[in-house]
């Protein structure tokens, strides 16, 4: 090793960035090697260790102490009542992906519901005590104070679906715009002319994006967007029922409905059956999520597949990177990462 190795290019002690540049990897990867993370290939570990030796890098002792003071636990926080968590396949699929990706690590997973004010206060106290290394936030409304609390506490966090196009936290989402668009393009190709939609809760950014996809698919096909054919839902079966009744009262001659969740589609289907309307002969139906509900519906439901299990896996990957990095997302400015996974229309007999 040459004598220059003990000094970085800056003339002082070599930095983590200089080790990363020498090894040809990112800063977070160097952090993972130094902190003993199993999520690094043997070849990468060897390259980083060689760069450390060549540069004479000595980890910052304060940072190492902080890294050692880990709880080896992360929390999956769901700002919803428990009943909704167990009623919607989306949540169990996210949990499946998270659990699978954590299985090779030493991390424990805590599942925390924060659907009431009391639960939120208790959660805030728990997080302020730094009982977990990081947080996965699932199903967050636009006005939820939890993401800002996590930023203030400098707790690494990843959100499932950004709150807006200006999201400051790292996030993982599916292509809601593309999913909504593909559903409507499919119905147009099937010759449907009066295509309605039952939206999700519109304080959720992903639900807003599905509606934009619906609108733009119609506009691009030269169709006028009829506002009477857009009715808000709430992602519940009962919400789907109410919205479908409202749509039939407004436009009894509609011939297709894009329902922006399979759970709501189940409610919509019941109303169509009660009204004596045949699916798909009279009204074509398309759902969203491609959950077990879609496959077991009669007739089986055409649905937009979100890669939900893969989203859970990607959330863990991002969070482990954040934990290894330790710098709060705010201090990294625009370096935050927004991962968007593709959707796919799965055609069945309902359309």
């Amino acid at each position: 090793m040459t004598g220059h190795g003990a000094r970085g290019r800056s003339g002082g002690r070599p930095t983590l960035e200089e080790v990363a540049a020498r090894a040809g990897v990112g800063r977070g990867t160097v952090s993972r090697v130094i902190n003993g993370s199993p999520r690094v290939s043997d070849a990468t570990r060897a390259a980083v260790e060689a760069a450390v030796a060549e540069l004479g890098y000595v980890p910052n002792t304060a940072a190492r102490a902080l890294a050692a003071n880990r709880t080896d636990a992360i929390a999956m926080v769901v700002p919803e009542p428990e009943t909704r968590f167990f009623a919607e396949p989306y949540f169990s699929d996210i949990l499946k992906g998270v659990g699978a990706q954590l299985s090779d690590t030493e991390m424990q997973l805590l599942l925390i519901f924060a659907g009431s004010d009391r639960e939120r206060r208790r959660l805030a106290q728990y997080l302020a005590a730094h009982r977990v290394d990081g947080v996965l936030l699932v199903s967050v409304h636009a006005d939820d104070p939890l993401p800002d609390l996590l930023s203030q506490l400098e707790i690494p966090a990843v959100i499932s679906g950004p709150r807006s196009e200006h999201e400051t936290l790292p996030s993982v989402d599916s292509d809601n715009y593309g999913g909504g668009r593909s559903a409507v393009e499919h119905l147009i190709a099937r010759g449907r002319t009066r295509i309605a939609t039952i939206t999700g809760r519109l304080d959720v950014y992903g639900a807003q994006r599905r509606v934009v996809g619906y609108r733009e698919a119609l506009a691009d096909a030269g169709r006028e967007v009829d506002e009477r054919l857009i009715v808000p839902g709430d992602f519940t079966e009962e919400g789907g029922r109410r919205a479908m009744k409202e749509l039939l009262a407004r436009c009894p001659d509609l011939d297709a409905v894009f329902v922006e969740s399979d759970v709501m589609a189940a409610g919509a289907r019941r109303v169509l059956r009660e009204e004596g309307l045949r699916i798909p002969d009279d009204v074509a139906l398309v759902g969203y999520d491609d959950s077990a509900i879609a496959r077991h519906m009669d007739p089986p439901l055409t649905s937009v597949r979100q890669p939900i299990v893969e989203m859970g896996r990607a959330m863990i990957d991002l969070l482990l990177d954040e934990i290894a990095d330790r710098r709060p997302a705010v201090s990294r400015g625009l370096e935050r990462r927004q991962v968007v996974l593709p959707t796919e229309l799965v055609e069945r007999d309902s359309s």
Side-chain angles (χ1 to χ4, degrees):
M1 187 170 77
T2 59
H4 86 282
R7 298 177 72 80
R9 285 190 298 275
S10 59
R13 212 166 69 175
T15 65
L16 198 64
E17 285 77 6
E18 287 165 352
V19 172
R22 175 66 63 95
V25 298
R27 186 186 189 285
T29 301
V30 176
S31 293
R32 281 197 291 280
V33 171
I34 290 168
N35 294 328
S37 167
R39 293 182 52 251
V40 182
S41 71
D42 291 342
T44 299
R45 180 174 284 107
V48 170
E49 287 171 352
V52 166
E54 286 169 26
L55 290 172
Y57 173 73
V58 180
N60 180 309
T61 52
R64 288 305 302 275
L66 184 65
N69 187 27
R70 295 256 286 264
T71 65
D72 283 335
I74 63 173
M76 178 167 153
V77 176
V78 183
E80 300 282 356
E82 287 182 48
T83 48
R84 183 162 174 242
F85 180 90
F86 291 108
E88 279 198 37
Y90 174 85
F91 293 111
S92 57
D93 283 347
I94 284 274
L95 188 58
K96 191 185 301 179
V98 166
Q101 204 69 355
L102 278 181
S103 61
D104 292 335
T105 74
E106 299 301 313
M107 289 282 191
Q108 295 290 326
L109 178 66
L110 306 175
L111 180 58
I112 300 175
F113 298 103
S116 69
D117 289 342
R118 182 165 171 255
E119 287 172 335
R120 283 163 180 270
R121 284 195 297 273
R122 199 163 59 213
L123 172 63
Q125 292 170 351
Y126 184 82
L127 294 174
H130 288 269
R131 301 272 180 84
V132 293
D133 293 326
V135 172
L136 301 170
L137 266 178
V138 182
S139 183
V140 180
H141 304 203
D143 59 352
D144 197 312
L146 273 175
D148 293 333
L149 172 68
L150 291 166
S151 293
Q152 288 164 17
L153 294 172
E154 297 190 356
I155 295 173
V158 173
I159 197 166
S160 79
R163 290 165 289 172
S164 75
E165 61 185 310
H166 307 296
E167 181 58 68
T168 53
L169 287 178
S171 71
V172 175
D173 204 2
S174 67
D175 181 6
N176 289 289
Y177 167 81
R181 190 178 178 95
S182 67
V184 178
E185 287 173 345
H186 166 75
L187 290 167
I188 291 170
R190 285 284 195 271
R192 304 294 166 153
T193 57
R194 304 278 289 155
I195 302 170
T197 188
I198 297 173
T199 79
R201 279 199 325 270
L202 293 175
D203 61 342
V204 176
Y205 183 62
Q208 297 169 24
R209 295 298 295 160
R210 291 174 200 177
V211 179
V212 173
Y214 163 87
R215 288 176 176 278
E216 292 194 4
L218 287 174
D220 288 351
R223 306 280 184 91
E224 190 175 335
V225 177
D226 184 345
E227 299 299 330
R228 295 176 307 151
L229 291 173
I230 302 173
V231 173
D234 59 3
F235 292 124
T236 69
E237 185 171 352
E238 182 54 35
R241 269 184 62 84
R242 282 197 305 268
M244 192 68 246
K245 281 182 175 292
E246 175 72 19
L247 278 172
L248 288 175
R250 291 181 184 186
C251 301
D253 60 341
L254 61 83
D255 62 3
V257 188
F258 165 41
V259 189
E260 297 181 24
S261 86
D262 291 347
V263 173
M264 290 194 299
R269 172 193 163 279
R270 282 171 55 200
V271 171
L272 291 170
R273 283 285 169 88
E274 288 163 5
E275 296 295 326
L277 294 165
R278 297 164 301 162
I279 303 169
D281 306 55
D282 301 316
V283 179
L285 203 58
V286 175
Y288 204 104
D289 290 333
D290 190 36
S291 61
I293 292 169
R295 294 188 292 277
H296 297 144
M297 203 178 285
D298 178 25
L301 182 68
T302 295
S303 186
V304 177
R305 179 181 182 270
Q306 292 195 85
I308 303 173
V309 174
E310 293 90 332
M311 287 165 63
R313 287 179 176 272
M315 286 182 75
I316 285 296
D317 284 346
L318 264 185
L319 185 61
L320 292 180
D321 285 349
E322 292 291 305
I323 291 168
D325 201 331
R326 300 305 294 189
R327 286 181 300 162
V330 172
S331 73
R332 281 178 274 136
L334 295 175
E335 200 183 308
R336 67 186 185 274
R337 281 190 284 171
Q338 314 292 348
V339 175
V340 180
L341 300 178
T343 54
E344 174 193 359
L345 185 75
V346 179
E347 296 182 23
R348 297 193 180 89
D349 297 340
S350 69
S351 60

